[in-house]
Structure formats: C-alpha cells, structure tokens
C-alpha cells in the first residue's frame, strides 16, 4: 500500500515554519467532515461483551467497526494499540505501523493518527517495566528520580510509535476509602504538584505528550465512592485540588489535560466552560488539548442527565472546551456533523478544537514530510516488515529494572522497629500472609498484569516479578525461610490460621505480608471502582494478624497496599511495621533488602495512617475544627502522620538560620540548616517545611507543606540545606473569592512530618494585602 504524499510545497508541510502557522494552513484546507474526523479516537480491538471492560463501556463500544469508512476522512487518535490485549512489543509496533500506513493512505491529506496509551506505573503493555504506583512516588519524596523514571517510560513508548501518555494523576487524596488512592501521589497538593510536575517533565522530555488527570475534583467524591458527586466548595477546589495542575501546566509544560468524571457542585467538568476555557485557557494560557476521560462525554447524557442524546452531549462538551472524544467515537462523529450542518453548533467551535489537535500533531512531527509510519524501534527494516521477529524489542531492559528497584527501595516506609530489624542472617523466618508469594501483590490496577492480563489466564506475566518469599530467600541464603498463606485477601475462610500459628511458633521471627489485590470495578480491593466501606484490612487478614500477635513471637508486619489501613489495633504489639504502596516488579527485593538491612529505609508517608477504621476519614490538611477537639468524642488524629518515616540511622538538625524576621507580602525569605548523619549507616533525611497561619480571613489548615528536600548522607557527613520561600506560598482564596497574600504573623515549621516539628521560625508579613494569580511563585527553591 502506497502512502498518500501531499504536495511538499504546501505551507503545512514545511517543517521550517512554526507549528502554529502550519496548523492554521492545514485547517483552512479541511472540509467539515475532515475536521470532525480529527476530534475523536478509535479503540480498535476493544471487547464489547461487557465482561472485559468497565461498566457502561460495553454499551458504548462500536464493534465491529467499518474501518475503511471510518478512516476515509482521516482520524484523530488511535486508542491503546498496545494496552488493550497482550501483544508482543515488536509485533505490536509492526501492527501499529501498518495501521498508520492505512490511515494516511485512505484520506486525501494523509494525516497520521496520534496514538495514546496508559502509563501510570510504566508503559501499560505486555512485557514493559512495571514501576511502583504513584502513591509510592509520593512516598519517595524524590522528584529527580521520578523524572528519570518518566523519561524512561516515555522513551519506551516513543520507540514503538506511541505519542501520548495518559498520566500523571494529579488528584489530591481527600478520602482514603476511594479506590483510586493508589493512583494518586498523596494527600498534599504541594507534594502532588512537585512530584507530578517532575513526571511531566520526564515524559515530555522524551517526546511524549503528558496528559494530566483528572481535571478536576474527582478525588473529592462523597464517601469515597467512584464517580460520586463532589461537594467541594470553590476554596477547596482552588487551594487544594487545582494547584498540582497549575504546577504541571506552567512548570512542567504538560500539553494535554483529561477532564474528570466528577460533578462538582452539580456541574460536570466536561460541560464546564468556566473551568475548561475560562480558567484553563484564559487564565492559565494553556495551549494544549483537552481530551475526554473515556466515555465522559457520553456520560453527560447517560449518567449525569445534562444532555438528551449524543448530539447534545457533544455540543455541551465542545462548547466547554473538550477537544477530543475518547476512547472511541459516539458524540463527536455523525451527531456533531449533523448539529453543525443544522446550525445548532457553530463551526467555529469545531475549528477551535481542530486547530489545537493539528498544532499538537505538528509539534510531534506527524505533519513533517520526513514522517514515517515506521517507529524508531523498527527503523531500518523494509516496508513489508517481514523481518520483524517476536521478542526482538525489549521493554524491560536491565537499566529500567534497576530504576524500578531504586524507586521501590526509596518508597518503602519504616513505621515501627522495636529492635526487630535487620533480621538475623541465619534466623528461622516464618513468612505468612496472602501477599507474600503472589507476583500480583506488587502491582497496582493500571499495571498491565492487573489491568489486562487477568482476563488472559493462559498468557504469562511477560517479565520477572519476584515475590517477597522468593526475594527473602535470595536476600538471606543462610536463613531458614518457610511460607504459609494463612488466609486469602478477601475470603472469610480462616481455616489456614492453625498452620500459620504453628509456623510462627516454630520460628524466631514472623514476617506477615498483608494488604490489597489491585483490580478494576470490584474485582479487587484497591483500584478504579474498588472503593472500601471502611479502613479495616480486607477479609480476615486483621484476624490473622491478631492470631499471630497472640503467639508472643516477634511479628514484622509488611503492608503491601494501594491505600492506608487503620493499624491502631496492631501497632503497639508489632515488633516492626513496613508500609509499601504497590512497589512494582522489583518491590519484593526492595522490601527484602530493608528487612535484611542491606537497604536503609528512607520512605515517608504521602498519606497518614489512621488509628481507627471507621468514621469519615480525613487528611492532615484540615483547619482546627477538623482535628481533635473537646467538642467531639471522635479523634481523627493519625496513628502515623503525613510525612512520617523512620530511618536506620540518626540525624542532627543544627545551626538553623533565617535571613529576616519581617517579610513583605511580595518578598522572599531564606532559611537554612545543617543536617548531619550521626549514625553508622548511610541514610536519607527528608526535611519538610510547613506553613502555620494562625489568623486569616478564612479558616486555614493548621499546617500545610510548602517545601521539602530529600537529603542523602553517608555516616558522619553533613550538608547545608537552604529554602527560598516566597510570600506567594502563603497565598489562599480570601473572602472575596480572589487569591491573596495577607499581612500578619505566620510560622515556618521545619519538621520531620506534619506532626513532628524540629524548629519554628516566626515571621511577620508586612505591607499591603496583595492579590496574586497564576504567575505567582508555586514552589520553594531548594539549594
């Protein structure tokens, strides 16, 4: 099949011109039908049987497709050519190249489709490196490492012909019961913003468009239920939920945003012009594309009652500012064409969206005369691709596995250690629990084996994922390591308890691995649509812990989860507690390395660990009346607070200095300290800077994070650490609904967690009350 070759002299084909001019020239040459064809994706190969996909999606999947008719006018996007079913990387790259060849040959302008994939914990395809989930990125407090990871993910995607990644998730955790907590970076907007922006820089730096999601409010759903209405007020939205998106747009250079399924105060973002155009475009100067969360435009009709049919839904979304319908066409195809022809929808709205799509395709090189359907990984092969061999492309090279291992090690949090760790090298170790010998225990719901492979029981994992038992045996070859499952993740069956107790009785120490099984829509205990009624460990795992703690043996609890669970019932009796948030393919060796002492623990909690499982869970980011008070009998105080984590060494915080006691409302203050490793092991301390604003126009969080630094130190080594903090970081939404910096007394608290303060630096903000906007300083500068 020969490629359509448009006239190379046309301005839109001239790679020396700006992407803006090229997009405008091509737009002017398109018919209405060709324009609309650029505004949707197609999900080739999606299963419409109902069992393989999410609720509602089987009703909306167009299968079978009339492929040749569909691409006659062109095509905007290809949805998940690698992530829909198990596909060998080399054969998948060949299939995608052939599909692109068909697309460009079928239409008169020969415009390639943009291919997108999920990449939340690595490239979500068979055989690609499985990194820790985003909650583990937050636990690392290491934006540089996250940026390196994202760069590697982007490189692997681009090598096989993928242009856009649907990550990162920038939702801020508001309720631990929400199933998608594992996909978030944490409960603090500053941490989410800094780490998420680092991911964006890495992915965009590799030439892949980063898609921020879910814009905005999704994580604030009532009672932690997926897709439930959101009751957040404008201040919570502006001060808590929006800042990570602001950072990633301005400081990260993200080129795409996905609207959320949420309905915030009755208005779904997909139909919210004030959000998608007024704020995002007019205030933030965002020039990229807004894409629909899967079937989100149709949900305006089917779930939210804003539209009478597909045409109404499409008109609402297009007017609000949604440029691309994903994952497949239902509202932006023929219904939109009919609406434009009848005059119900202005063609200028179509032109506005198409121009953004074409601008992005120009930026990606898809409009260049030199563009080829052959991706970099297949470069040099003949056009027929006859020499492509299965297994010839590796998406899990050694350097990526090492990077996944490094992030896993830095993300595991030591919560308690009563001299139980490190484990004795020749000890008798009883390993117990349903998460100890299952590779899937290490993976979140958007890791390919959990997301897709569970529907393909005959297909192997495609890469090595050592379990905790296997890793412990490799880590401690002189130890006697036994294994007993004890119970299942969710099963009520406790018949395995006696064997587990017997194994514990015969051992010197017991390692109990409990936690979650990731899945989708009720098929797991964590993940999209897997919301929790409370924060008790699933099934009878809590009862198993009780039984083992009653033996009197030293019990090391290892939690491998997608959310925090209440530990007040167990913590005081445990010899040690480790928390790992789905740590990826190298998670087993990372946990084993900390248990053995080879790895010095350095993770910090990106979410608090509650004491009690019931009641409305809350995060640390709360005003005074949201904390423990004398006017309620319920105590929401976290057992282990946000930012907490123990080390295997000790650190001295010395010589704290500040360059001023008064700070103008448009000024910057510099505070510094010296950190010294006073122990005999290497380690990393995480210095956290919190703001306390005791008197303000509106109620403010008791403390909120405004800066942090992860500082690795060898034994005896010291380092001077400085933070330049702009007065802009004290800003909030005032009573008039504008963002202000307010004069008055504040405190900067140098802390090891949100609850553990080392030094208080009092400051007075002087000068006039000042209004600030999107151009304000968003982060502290660390040196």
């Amino acid at each position: 099949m020969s490629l359509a070759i448009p006239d190379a002299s046309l301005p839109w084909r001239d790679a020396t011109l700006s992407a803006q001019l090229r997009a405008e020239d091509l737009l002017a040459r398109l018919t209405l039908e060709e324009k609309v064809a650029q505004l949707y994706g197609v999900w080739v190969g999606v299963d419409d049987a109902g069992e393989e996909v999410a609720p509602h999606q089987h009703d909306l999947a167009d299968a079978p497709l009339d492929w040749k008719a569909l691409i006659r006018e062109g095509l905007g996007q290809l949805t998940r050519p690698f992530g829909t079913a198990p596909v060998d990387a080399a054969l998948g790259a060949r299939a995608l190249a052939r599909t692109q060849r068909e697309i460009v040959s079928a239409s008169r302008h020969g415009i390639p489709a943009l291919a997108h994939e999920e990449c939340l914990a690595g490239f979500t395809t068979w055989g690609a490196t499985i990194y820790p989930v985003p909650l583990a990125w937050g636990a690392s407090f290491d934006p540089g490492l996250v940026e390196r990871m994202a760069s590697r993910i982007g490189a692997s995607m681009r090598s096989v012909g993928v242009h856009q990644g649907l990550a990162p998730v920038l939702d801020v955790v508001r309720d631990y019961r929400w199933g998608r907590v594992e996909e978030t970076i944490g409960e603090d907007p500053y941490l989410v913003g800094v780490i998420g922006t680092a991911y964006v820089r890495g992915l965009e730096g590799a030439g892949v468009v980063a898609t921020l999601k879910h814009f905005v409010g999704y994580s604030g759903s009532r009672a932690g239920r997926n897709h439930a209405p959101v009751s957040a007020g404008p201040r919570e939205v502006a001060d808590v939920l929006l800042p990570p998106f602001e950072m990633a747009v301005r400081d990260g250079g993200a080129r795409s945003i996905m609207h959320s399924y949420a309905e915030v105060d009755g208005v779904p973002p997909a139909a919210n012009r004030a959000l998608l155009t007024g704020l995002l475009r007019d205030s933030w100067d965002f020039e990229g594309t807004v894409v629909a969360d899967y079937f989100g435009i149709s949900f305006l009709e089917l779930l939210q009652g804003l539209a009478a049919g597909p045409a109404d839904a499409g008109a609402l979304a297009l007017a609000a500012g949604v440029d691309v319908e994903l994952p497949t066409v239902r509202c932006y195809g023929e219904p939109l064409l009919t609406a434009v022809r009848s005059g119900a929808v202005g063609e200028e709205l179509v032109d506005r969206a198409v121009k953004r799509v074409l601008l992005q395709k120009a930026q990606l090189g898809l409009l260049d005369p030199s563009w080829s359907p052959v991706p970099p990984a297949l470069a040099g092969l003949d056009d027929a691709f006859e020499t492509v061999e299965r297994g010839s492309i590796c998406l899990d090279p050694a350097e990526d596995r090492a990077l996944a291992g490094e992030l896993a090690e830095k993300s595991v949090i030591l919560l308690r250690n009563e001299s139980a760790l490190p484990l004795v090298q020749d000890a008798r170790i009883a390993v117990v629990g349903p998460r100890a010998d299952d590779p899937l225990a290490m993976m979140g719901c958007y890791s390919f084996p959990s997301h897709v492979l569970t529907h393909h029981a005959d297909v192997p994992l495609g890469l090595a994922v050592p379990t905790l038992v296997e890793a412990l045996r490799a880590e401690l070859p002189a130890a006697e390591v036994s294994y007993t499952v004890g119970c299942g993740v969710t099963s009520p069956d406790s018949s395995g308890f006696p064997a587990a107790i017997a194994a514990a009785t015969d051992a010197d120490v017991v390692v109990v691995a409990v936690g979650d099984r990731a899945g989708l829509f009720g098929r797991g205990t964590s993940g999209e649509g897997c919301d929790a009624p409370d924060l008790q460990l699933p099934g009878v795992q809590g009862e198993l812990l009780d039984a083992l703690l009653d033996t009197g043996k030293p019990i090391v609890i290892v939690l491998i989860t997608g959310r925090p669970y209440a530990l007040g019932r167990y913590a005081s009796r445990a010899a040690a507690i480790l928390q790992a948030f789905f740590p990826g393919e190298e998670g087993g060796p990372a946990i084993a390395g900390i248990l053995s002492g080879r790895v010095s623990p350095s993770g910090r909690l990106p979410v608090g660990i509650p004491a009690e499982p019931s009641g409305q869970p809350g995060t640390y980011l709360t005003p005074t009346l949201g904390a423990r008070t004398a006017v309620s009998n319920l105590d929401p105080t976290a057992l282990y607070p946000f930012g907490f984590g123990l080390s295997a060494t000790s650190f001295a915080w010395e010589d704290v200095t500040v360059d001023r006691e008064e700070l103008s409302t448009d000024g910057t203050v510099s505070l510094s300290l010296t950190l010294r490793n006073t122990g005999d092991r290497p380690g990393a301390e995480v210095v956290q800077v919190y703001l306390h604003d005791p008197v303000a126009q509106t109620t403010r969080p008791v403390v909120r994070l405004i800066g942090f630094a992860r500082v690795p130190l060898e034994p005896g080594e010291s380092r001077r650490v400085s933070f330049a903090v702009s007065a802009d970081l004290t800003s909030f939404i005032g009573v008039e609904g504008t963002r202000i910096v307010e004069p008055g007394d504040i405190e900067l608290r140098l802390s090891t967690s949100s609850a553990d303060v080392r030094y208080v630096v009092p400051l007075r903000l002087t000068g006039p009350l000042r209004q600030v906007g999107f151009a304000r300083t968003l982060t502290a500068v660390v040196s």
Side-chain angles (χ1 to χ4, degrees), residues 711-759:
V711 186
L713 295 170
E714 293 295 318
E717 184 183 7
S718 63
R719 176 181 155 187
R720 191 75 177 163
V721 182
S722 297
F723 297 88
V725 179
S726 168
D728 289 0
L729 294 177
T730 72
S731 69
F732 60 94
I733 302 299
V735 293
E736 300 298 327
T738 58
R739 180 168 294 281
I740 61 170
V741 176
E742 187 180 38
D745 292 326
I746 62 170
E747 292 177 357
L748 300 183
R749 297 180 175 181
L750 292 167
S751 307
T752 56
S753 78
S754 60
D756 303 305
V757 182
R758 290 292 186 93
Y759 291 95

Side-chain angles (χ1 to χ4, degrees), residues 42-82:
V42 172
W43 199 351
V44 178
V46 67
D47 189 323
D48 67 339
E51 297 300 320
E52 304 294 312
V53 290
H56 302 291
Q57 291 188 7
H58 64 283
D59 299 324
L60 303 172
D62 294 327
L65 294 167
D66 185 348
W67 174 249
K68 292 191 181 300
L70 191 67
I71 63 175
R72 191 172 299 127
E73 308 294 344
L75 181 62
Q77 292 211 12
L78 284 166
T79 294
R80 297 175 66 179
F82 288 87

Side-chain angles (χ1 to χ4, degrees), residues 109-336:
H109 293 290
I111 306 169
L114 186 153
H116 77 257
E117 287 288 352
E118 299 282 2
C119 57
L120 193 66
F123 182 7
T124 306
T125 190
W126 188 74
T129 302
I130 300 168
Y131 292 93
V133 299
L135 201 57
W137 311 350
S140 77
F141 277 75
D142 193 335
L145 180 57
V146 170
E147 183 172 348
R148 285 168 51 207
M149 174 195 69
S151 179
R152 292 300 306 156
I153 292 170
S156 65
M157 295 170 74
R158 196 66 197 257
S159 74
V160 294
V162 176
H163 311 102
Q164 181 172 357
L166 304 188
V169 169
L170 297 182
D171 297 303
V172 179
V173 175
R174 304 302 283 160
D175 190 325
Y176 304 146
R177 296 172 298 178
W178 191 47
R180 305 189 80 164
V181 167
E182 65 171 72
E183 299 180 45
T184 74
I185 294 167
E187 68 181 53
D188 179 88
Y190 189 88
L191 177 67
V192 173
V194 170
I195 297 291
T197 297
Y199 182 95
V200 169
R201 282 196 296 264
L203 202 67
E204 290 278 0
V208 172
V209 173
T211 305
L212 313 180
K213 56 187 191 181
H214 306 88
F215 193 66
V216 64
Y218 192 22
S219 58
S221 60
R222 293 177 191 161
R225 294 178 61 246
N226 197 44
H227 287 213
V230 174
S231 300
R235 287 182 180 81
E236 181 179 352
V237 172
D239 283 338
V240 177
L241 302 177
L242 282 174
F245 293 92
E246 292 182 82
M247 290 186 193
V249 167
R250 203 187 76 184
D251 296 343
R255 287 183 285 172
S256 187
I257 285 180
M258 175 180 279
H259 76 72
S260 90
Y261 291 133
E263 48 189 79
V264 183
D265 195 25
V267 182
N272 192 337
R273 187 188 183 282
L275 176 72
L276 299 183
T277 298
L279 177 70
L280 183 61
R281 304 286 185 182
D282 298 341
S283 297
W284 292 5
D285 297 326
F286 178 71
E287 296 182 348
T289 56
V290 174
V291 302
D293 202 344
Y294 282 15
F295 302 108
I297 298 177
S298 289
F299 288 167
L300 295 175
E301 170 201 354
L302 301 176
L303 296 182
Q304 293 159 331
L306 266 68
D312 281 355
L316 279 172
L318 190 68
V322 181
D323 302 311
V324 180
E325 181 179 18
L326 296 180
T328 197
V329 57
R330 181 175 180 268
C331 303
Y332 274 17
E334 193 59 40
L336 181 58

Side-chain angles (χ1 to χ4, degrees), residues 457-532:
D458 57 331
V459 179
L461 286 179
L463 72 177
V465 182
T467 68
L468 178 56
V469 171
E470 293 168 342
L472 264 179
R473 287 173 175 156
E475 187 77 32
L476 300 170
E480 181 184 320
V481 179
S482 65
Y483 171 62
T484 307
V485 67
C487 67
V489 174
T490 57
S491 170
D493 184 7
S494 59
S495 61
F497 284 20
I501 293 169
T505 303
D506 290 339
D508 299 319
V509 64
V510 185
V511 175
V512 191
V514 293
D516 281 316
R517 179 183 66 249
L520 291 167
F521 302 102
R523 296 190 286 269
T525 61
S526 174
E528 185 175 358
C530 295
D531 310 314

Side-chain angles (χ1 to χ4, degrees), residues 412-413 421 431-433 435-436 442 468 472 510-516 537 541 545 555-561 576-580 583 587 591-592 595:
V412 177
I413 306 119
L421 300 180
V431 181
V432 179
R435 301 291 74 199
M442 303 296 165
L468 178 56
L472 264 179
V510 185
V511 175
V512 191
V514 293
D516 281 316
L537 283 166
Q541 294 182 80
L545 276 177
I555 305 297
V556 177
I557 302 174
V558 176
L559 296 123
I560 308 174
T561 69
I577 305 175
L578 288 180
Q579 172 69 65
I591 296 169
L595 293 174

Side-chain angles (χ1 to χ4, degrees), residues 551-741:
T551 65
K553 291 287 186 175
I555 305 297
V556 177
I557 302 174
V558 176
L559 296 123
I560 308 174
T561 69
R563 66 164 61 83
Y565 284 100
L567 299 182
R569 177 170 147 191
Y570 322 105
S572 64
R573 295 195 290 159
I577 305 175
L578 288 180
Q579 172 69 65
F581 295 112
F582 291 140
E585 65 182 39
E586 286 293 309
I591 296 169
I594 290 175
L595 293 174
S596 73
R598 174 178 57 83
V599 176
S600 183
S602 60
R604 300 293 185 268
L605 285 173
V607 287
I609 301 291
E612 300 298 329
S614 58
Q616 290 292 332
T619 73
Y620 95 95
L621 208 64
T622 178
T624 300
L625 287 179
R628 183 180 184 179
T629 68
V631 296
S632 173
N633 63 311
L634 297 180
D635 182 2
T637 305
L639 179 66
Y640 298 108
F642 171 87
F644 176 81
L646 299 176
S647 177
T649 188
S650 56
F651 300 94
W653 295 39
E654 302 168 330
D655 190 22
V656 175
T657 60
V658 60
D659 69 347
R660 65 196 64 211
E661 295 180 356
E662 291 191 352
L663 174 66
S664 65
T665 52
D666 62 353
T668 298
V669 63
S670 177
L671 64 156
S672 304
L673 74 157
T674 297
L675 277 179
R676 184 163 51 88
N677 184 342
T678 56
D680 58 2
R681 294 195 58 191
E685 180 70 298
V686 178
V687 180
Q688 300 161 48
V689 183
Y690 292 88
L691 170 70
H692 172 61
D693 188 352
V695 180
Q697 285 187 16
T698 63
T699 59
R700 306 298 302 132
V702 177
V703 292
R704 64 181 176 91
L705 188 70
I706 59 170
F708 65 86
R710 180 188 174 95
V711 186
L713 295 170
E714 293 295 318
E717 184 183 7
S718 63
R719 176 181 155 187
R720 191 75 177 163
V721 182
S722 297
F723 297 88
V725 179
S726 168
D728 289 0
L729 294 177
T730 72
S731 69
F732 60 94
I733 302 299
V735 293
E736 300 298 327
T738 58
R739 180 168 294 281
I740 61 170
V741 176

